[in-house]
Amino acid sequence: MGKGKQAAVVLGALAFGWLAIEMAFKPFLDRARSAMDRSDPDRDPDDEEAPSSELPAPGQPSPAAASQ
């Protein structure tokens, strides 16, 4: 097989593999891409403090467990 034909076969196989992966993971990729489009690059969720009612002190039961 010539080098040109071999390169065409390899590129065709790579393109086919890429399309197969895109179709197999389409729902996941669509959700991930839309989440990236909606995200605000200037906001870092790690810098925000959680409300104190959501995080009980260490060793204390959570408010949901205490009400049962």
Side-chain angles (χ1 to χ4, degrees):
M1 201 180 338
K3 291 188 185 257
K5 188 175 181 183
Q6 185 177 2
V9 169
V10 169
L11 289 176
L14 287 173
F16 180 77
W18 179 265
L19 289 174
I21 290 172
E22 284 280 333
M23 289 188 332
F25 293 107
K26 184 171 178 50
F28 173 74
L29 292 173
D30 286 343
R31 284 195 313 259
R33 288 176 182 147
S34 68
M36 285 188 285
D37 289 341
R38 288 190 313 262
S39 71
D40 181 10
D42 295 328
R43 184 181 74 86
D44 185 5
D46 293 333
D47 291 340
E48 297 175 3
E49 291 188 26
S52 60
S53 63
E54 290 183 17
L55 298 174
Q60 299 294 324
S62 67
S67 65
Q68 292 179 353

